[in-house]
Amino acid sequence: MWYHRLSHLQSRLQNLLKGGITCQALQQPNFKSLFPIAIHWHHTASKSLNCVWQQLEDHFELQYADTVMRFDYVWLRDHCRSASCYNSKTHQRSLDTASVDLCIKPKIIRQEETTLFFTWPDGHVTRYELDWLMKNSYEGQKQKVIQPRILWNAEIYQQAQVPSINFQSFLETNEGLKNFLQNFLLYGIAFVENVPATQEHTEKLAERISLIRETIYGRMWYFTSDFSRGDTAYTKLALDRHTDTTYFQEPCGIQVFHCLKHEGTGGRTLLVDGFYAAEQVLQKAPEQFELLSKVPLKHEYIENVGECHNHMIGVGPVLNIYPWNKELYLIRYNNYDRAVINTVPYDVVHRWYTAHRTLTIELRRPENELWVKLKPGRVLFIDNWRVLHGRESFTGYRQLCGCYLTRDDVLNTARLLGLQA
């Protein structure tokens, strides 16, 4: 009986707080008389600190930096950063999570300035800075963008006048490399100029920021329009906008293109910011955006040409988002390689086709198309998880080389240079 009354009183108190009752008012005798059962609120206020917290039956509640956060007690014990629980040199957990009592609750909670101390039943003390809890809470992460980006159409990108990076600066200075990576992270594409037109120099360029990802196409690929592989890319035909390797379980993260020679006409490269197009869908038809982020599709690559025999299958939705903040991080769009749709029932299929059409219309808007001419000495890096590419048909002899890069390593290089990635 007393527990139900306590829950009722807590609910009343929370509603009053939402209505503007201050924590100082809670201490007044007439207010205390309304709540004969103690509800342990704690309040700290100063010019630089405003913190309210309470210990509830199954979780700890903290209001700080204009955010209400809730923490499970097992989580608070599991994330202890004391020397016996966490190795600060290796940044790895030492505590055996399976040893933590799933019904654990702190015996004592106290606050000193910006630090909270939790004393557990066995006497172990865990300390947390308020800013650390804010940064690492679910509520804090919901407000945080993992990867800052500038979404663009052709006009936006051209007006930004994003500078290319010189080959020597890219290779020899951290400043040049950092500027390149900053542009790449923001826009999903970046250029390096004055690169010697050889496969060896292109490889050297790529290795500056990442390990090269070896795939069924090899480590460095070099191709002309001789149809030496079972792929439309190895022809002179036009290619519609698409992302590569959708038929991999993890599509390649970054691709590098260098046109070593072209004796003919045409062959311009098409670039479209898939995230910009997806954002338009989100604004105009949010239910279609959601459907594209939930329906899993198979993509397939079957090759039997010469000595190359491959059968690759990748599965995933067109749009991939982080579930906690709804941030888009990967678009998997390739109408050439999409396999038979057999992963959802018929009534969902038609709604998916409608959503796919809406996205395709955005991707094909002329104002969203950025056309560039690749030429010897100019190397293009593309975020294959974001930017779609294609090309117009061409005539004559054309040589391209390039490779795929491991996404983790590119982002690792960016973080080591102080960039958010």
Side-chain angles (χ1 to χ4, degrees), residues 2-247:
W2 67 266
Y3 177 76
H4 293 297
R5 177 154 176 76
L6 176 59
S7 299
H8 173 67
L9 292 173
Q10 286 177 338
S11 177
R12 289 179 60 192
L13 180 56
Q14 289 174 342
N15 289 333
L16 287 169
L17 284 171
K18 291 178 182 177
I21 299 296
T22 65
C23 287
Q24 287 84 354
L26 303 184
Q27 308 304 319
Q28 301 303 315
N30 61 340
F31 192 91
K32 287 182 177 181
S33 66
L34 297 175
F35 295 89
I37 298 176
I39 301 175
H40 300 293
W41 282 87
H42 301 264
H43 180 263
T44 302
S46 68
K47 291 183 179 180
S48 59
L49 179 67
N50 193 340
C51 169
V52 181
W53 56 268
Q54 63 172 328
Q55 180 177 354
L56 297 173
E57 179 66 20
D58 62 348
H59 70 278
F60 176 74
E61 187 168 303
L62 170 66
Q63 182 173 336
Y64 175 65
D66 298 320
T67 302
V68 177
M69 296 161 274
R70 296 172 180 84
F71 300 92
D72 179 82
Y73 290 128
V74 178
W75 187 98
L76 288 167
R77 181 64 187 91
D78 180 49
H79 288 82
C80 180
R81 269 17 188 187
S82 68
S84 63
C85 297
Y86 186 79
N87 189 326
S88 59
K89 291 183 178 179
T90 65
H91 303 282
Q92 292 176 302
R93 180 180 284 102
S94 302
L95 175 68
D96 177 15
T97 302
S99 70
V100 178
D101 183 355
L102 293 177
C103 297
I104 196 170
K105 298 175 187 176
K107 288 179 63 177
I108 301 171
I109 303 176
R110 64 184 176 88
Q111 180 180 353
E112 292 182 9
E113 296 297 328
T114 61
T115 307
L116 286 167
F117 296 85
F118 297 80
T119 302
W120 303 102
D122 62 358
H124 184 83
V125 178
T126 296
R127 56 184 292 168
Y128 289 114
E129 291 296 318
L130 293 174
D131 286 338
W132 190 94
L133 288 173
M134 174 64 195
K135 176 183 177 182
N136 292 285
S137 67
Y138 170 73
E139 294 79 6
Q141 285 294 310
K142 283 179 66 176
Q143 303 173 26
K144 182 181 178 182
V145 174
I146 302 296
Q147 177 58 64
R149 296 181 174 92
I150 296 175
L151 307 186
W152 53 268
N153 58 17
E155 183 181 10
I156 293 172
Y157 185 82
Q158 289 164 348
Q159 289 184 351
Q161 296 183 328
V162 183
S164 299
I165 305 299
N166 183 270
F167 176 64
Q168 291 302 125
S169 176
F170 181 94
L171 281 186
E172 297 174 2
T173 71
N174 283 341
E175 180 183 3
L177 180 60
K178 184 176 181 178
N179 290 337
F180 168 87
L181 285 169
Q182 181 69 84
N183 293 338
F184 180 80
L185 293 172
L186 288 175
Y187 294 97
I189 56 174
F191 295 89
V192 180
E193 303 282 0
N194 302 315
V195 181
T198 70
Q199 181 173 318
E200 292 72 26
H201 284 89
T202 307
E203 182 176 1
K204 186 176 182 181
L205 190 75
E207 290 177 329
R208 171 75 163 121
I209 60 172
S210 171
L211 296 174
I212 293 174
R213 178 173 175 178
E214 188 162 0
T215 68
I216 58 174
Y217 301 106
R219 188 170 180 275
M220 291 291 297
W221 32 262
Y222 172 90
F223 66 89
T224 63
S225 55
D226 60 359
F227 203 68
S228 60
R229 299 296 298 265
D231 194 289
T232 315
Y234 290 77
T235 70
K236 296 181 180 181
L237 301 175
L239 290 175
D240 193 20
R241 63 224 72 201
H242 64 280
T243 58
D244 271 13
T245 61
T246 53
Y247 40 78

Side-chain angles (χ1 to χ4, degrees), residues 63 91 129 166 231 250 254-255 276 279-280 365:
Q63 182 173 336
H91 303 282
E129 291 296 318
N166 183 270
D231 194 289
E250 181 185 319
I254 289 89
Q255 57 192 152
Y276 178 89
E279 179 64 22
Q280 305 309 305
R365 290 190 187 280

Side-chain angles (χ1 to χ4, degrees), residues 221-402:
W221 32 262
Y222 172 90
F223 66 89
T224 63
S225 55
D226 60 359
F227 203 68
S228 60
R229 299 296 298 265
D231 194 289
T232 315
Y234 290 77
T235 70
K236 296 181 180 181
L237 301 175
L239 290 175
D240 193 20
R241 63 224 72 201
H242 64 280
T243 58
D244 271 13
T245 61
T246 53
Y247 40 78
F248 286 7
Q249 281 297 91
E250 181 185 319
C252 292
I254 289 89
Q255 57 192 152
V256 182
F257 284 117
H258 190 184
C259 180
L260 304 180
K261 181 186 292 187
H262 184 198
E263 299 169 346
T265 60
R268 288 183 305 161
T269 295
L270 168 64
L271 301 168
V272 178
D273 186 354
F275 286 10
Y276 178 89
E279 179 64 22
Q280 305 309 305
V281 176
L282 178 62
Q283 297 301 322
K284 298 174 183 178
E287 72 288 348
Q288 294 183 8
F289 180 97
E290 183 178 12
L291 189 66
L292 290 172
S293 71
K294 289 185 175 180
V295 174
L297 298 175
K298 294 178 183 177
H299 289 77
E300 188 172 34
Y301 177 72
I302 301 174
E303 178 184 33
N304 287 292
V305 176
E307 296 181 359
C308 300
H309 304 281
N310 295 290
H311 188 174
M312 309 292 291
I313 297 177
V315 181
V318 174
L319 304 178
N320 297 257
I321 61 175
Y322 295 123
W324 61 90
N325 66 355
K326 307 306 180 185
E327 180 180 347
L328 178 63
Y329 68 88
L330 163 64
I331 181 169
R332 190 190 294 250
Y333 184 100
N334 191 317
N335 206 52
Y336 296 105
D337 296 324
R338 181 166 45 79
V340 175
I341 301 177
N342 53 18
T343 54
V344 288
Y346 80 96
D347 56 327
V348 177
V349 167
H350 193 81
R351 290 193 292 118
W352 181 89
Y353 275 118
T354 302
H356 183 267
R357 181 69 53 84
T358 301
L359 175 61
T360 300
I361 288 172
E362 295 298 331
L363 290 169
R364 290 181 177 176
R365 290 190 187 280
E367 60 267 31
N368 293 339
E369 299 178 344
L370 178 67
W371 290 93
V372 298
K373 180 67 173 178
L374 297 182
K375 59 183 181 180
R378 189 184 197 198
V379 177
L380 168 62
F381 289 72
I382 301 175
D383 183 345
N384 188 54
W385 283 21
R386 169 183 173 180
V387 175
L388 287 70
H389 67 280
R391 70 157 186 246
E392 64 180 357
S393 61
F394 63 92
T395 65
Y397 183 72
R398 189 172 185 250
Q399 290 180 346
L400 263 75
C401 77

